[in-house]
C-alpha cells in the first residue's frame, strides 16, 4: 500500500498539506487489506476475513479479501467510489502510518510521500506558521495511537490461536464464470478443533474476549460467494463489449 513512507517532520513537511480522501482510486489494486479483531464484526458482513502467515516473523495476521485475484479490488468502482458500507481502518488512515523507533514501545507518525493526497496548495496544513504540528497531525496521532492498541490486541489474538493449533489452511473450490477456481494461500479457524476444546480453554477464550471475533470470522467465509458475484458482474459487461 505504501510506496514512500517517511517520518513526518517540520524540516521536510513544513509547507505540506493533506487533502481529504474523496475517492479510493489509490486502493483499486488492493485485493487484501489488514484488519484488526475490533473490525471483524462489521467487516464480516461484507468481506471474507481470513488469516495470512508471515513465515519470516513466525506469526499470523488477519486480512479481508477484496478480490479473487491479485491487483483487483472489487469494492472500488471505476470512479474511485468505495461500494460497501465499511472501509477497513488501514485504508481509512492512508496516507499515514505508525513506525517503530529505536526505543522500545515508541512509535513515530509517517506519511507516504508518493500519495496524491499530499499537496503544496490544497488541503489542511501539517504544521502551523510557528512550525508546530497542526491540529490535523494531533488528530492523526490520536487515531493511530488507538489503532496501535487494537493491533497489539490482534497480535495477541493470532498468537493465541497459533499456539493452540487452531488455524488450518483454507482450500476452497468455487465456480466462477463457468470455470473452477481454487481459493488457497490463507488460513481459517478450524471449527472441529474449536468445538473440541476443553471447557477450561473455551472459558479462557471467553475471558479474553476472543469468541465474538472467532464467530464473526467463521460467518464471514460465506462472503466469498459475494466476491464471486461481484467478479462475474464485472466480467459480464466486458464480455458483452467484446
Amino acid at each position: 500500500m505504501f510506496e514512500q513512507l517517511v517520518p513526518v517532520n517540520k524540516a521536510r513537511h513544513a509547507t505540506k498539506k493533506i487533502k481529504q480522501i474523496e475517492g479510493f482510486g489509490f486502493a483499486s489494486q488492493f485485493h487484501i487489506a489488514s484488519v484488526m479483531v475490533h473490525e471483524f464484526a462489521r467487516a464480516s458482513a461484507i468481506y471474507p476475513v481470513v488469516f495470512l502467515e508471515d513465515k519470516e516473523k513466525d506469526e499470523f495476521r488477519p486480512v479481508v479479501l477484496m478480490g479473487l485475484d491479485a491487483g483487483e479490488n472489487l469494492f472500488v468502482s471505476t470512479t474511485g467510489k468505495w461500494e460497501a458500507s465499511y472501509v477497513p481502518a488501514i485504508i481509512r488512515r492512508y496516507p499515514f502510518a505508525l513506525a517503530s523507533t529505536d526505543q522500545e514501545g515508541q512509535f513515530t507518525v509517517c506519511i507516504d510521500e508518493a500519495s496524491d493526497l499530499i499537496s503544496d496548495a490544497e488541503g489542511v496544513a501539517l504544521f502551523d506558521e510557528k512550525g508546530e504540528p497542526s491540529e490535523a497531525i494531533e488528530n492523526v496521532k490520536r487515531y493511530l495511537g488507538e489503532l496501535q492498541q487494537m493491533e497489539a490486541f490482534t497480535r495477541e489474538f493470532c498468537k493465541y490461536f497459533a499456539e493452540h493449533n487452531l488455524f488450518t489452511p483454507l482450500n476452497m473450490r468455487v465456480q466462477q464464470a463457468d470455470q473452477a477456481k481454487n481459493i488457497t494461500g490463507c488460513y481459517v479457524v478450524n471449527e472441529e478443533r474449536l468445538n473440541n476444546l476443553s471447557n477450561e480453554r473455551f472459558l479462557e477464550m471467553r475471558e479474553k474476549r476472543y469468541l465474538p471475533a472467532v464467530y464473526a470470522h467463521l460467518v464471514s467465509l460465506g462472503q466469498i460467494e459475494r466476491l464471486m458475484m461481484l467478479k462475474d458482474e464485472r466480467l459480464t459487461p466486458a464480455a458483452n463489449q467484446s
Side-chain angles (χ1 to χ4, degrees), residues 77-96:
S77 71
T78 54
T79 59
K81 180 183 178 182
W82 195 279
E83 298 184 321
S85 59
Y86 183 74
V87 181
I90 193 172
I91 293 175
R92 282 184 280 122
R93 77 181 183 184
Y94 185 83
F96 296 100

Side-chain angles (χ1 to χ4, degrees), residues 48-181:
V49 179
V50 297
F51 298 85
L52 298 182
E53 183 180 17
D54 187 333
K55 293 186 177 180
E56 290 186 3
K57 295 183 179 180
D58 189 27
E59 65 181 21
F60 290 84
R61 63 185 177 96
V63 301
V64 290
L65 299 181
M66 301 181 298
L68 293 172
D69 297 296
E72 72 170 7
N73 186 337
L74 298 172
F75 295 92
V76 176
S77 71
T78 54
T79 59
K81 180 183 178 182
W82 195 279
E83 298 184 321
S85 59
Y86 183 74
V87 181
I90 193 172
I91 293 175
R92 282 184 280 122
R93 77 181 183 184
Y94 185 83
F96 296 100
L98 279 184
S100 300
T101 64
D102 294 335
Q103 295 181 307
E104 185 176 352
Q106 297 294 316
F107 299 87
T108 185
V109 176
C110 296
I111 192 169
D112 184 1
E113 289 188 329
S115 172
D116 292 336
L117 296 174
I118 301 175
S119 170
D120 289 315
E122 301 177 58
V124 180
L126 298 180
F127 293 88
D128 62 23
E129 295 177 355
K130 297 180 181 179
E132 297 298 323
S134 67
E135 184 179 354
I137 285 294
E138 294 302 327
N139 290 338
V140 167
K141 284 182 180 178
R142 193 177 305 111
Y143 180 57
L144 293 180
E146 293 172 357
L147 294 184
Q148 187 66 28
Q149 295 178 3
M150 295 179 188
E151 287 175 1
F153 183 88
T154 299
R155 284 194 297 272
E156 288 300 316
F157 175 95
C158 292
K159 181 180 178 182
Y160 182 93
F161 277 76
E163 288 178 345
H164 293 92
N165 193 32
L166 287 169
F167 288 129
T168 191
L170 172 66
N171 191 354
M172 181 180 290
R173 192 173 181 84
V174 297
Q175 199 72 19
Q176 178 200 318
D178 298 327
Q179 291 184 340
K181 185 179 184 67

Side-chain angles (χ1 to χ4, degrees), residues 190-203:
N190 188 301
E191 283 194 71
E192 183 177 355
R193 295 174 200 164
L194 181 68
N195 291 331
N196 289 332
L197 288 175
S198 66
N199 290 339
E200 179 183 4
R201 185 72 65 202
F202 188 83
L203 290 174

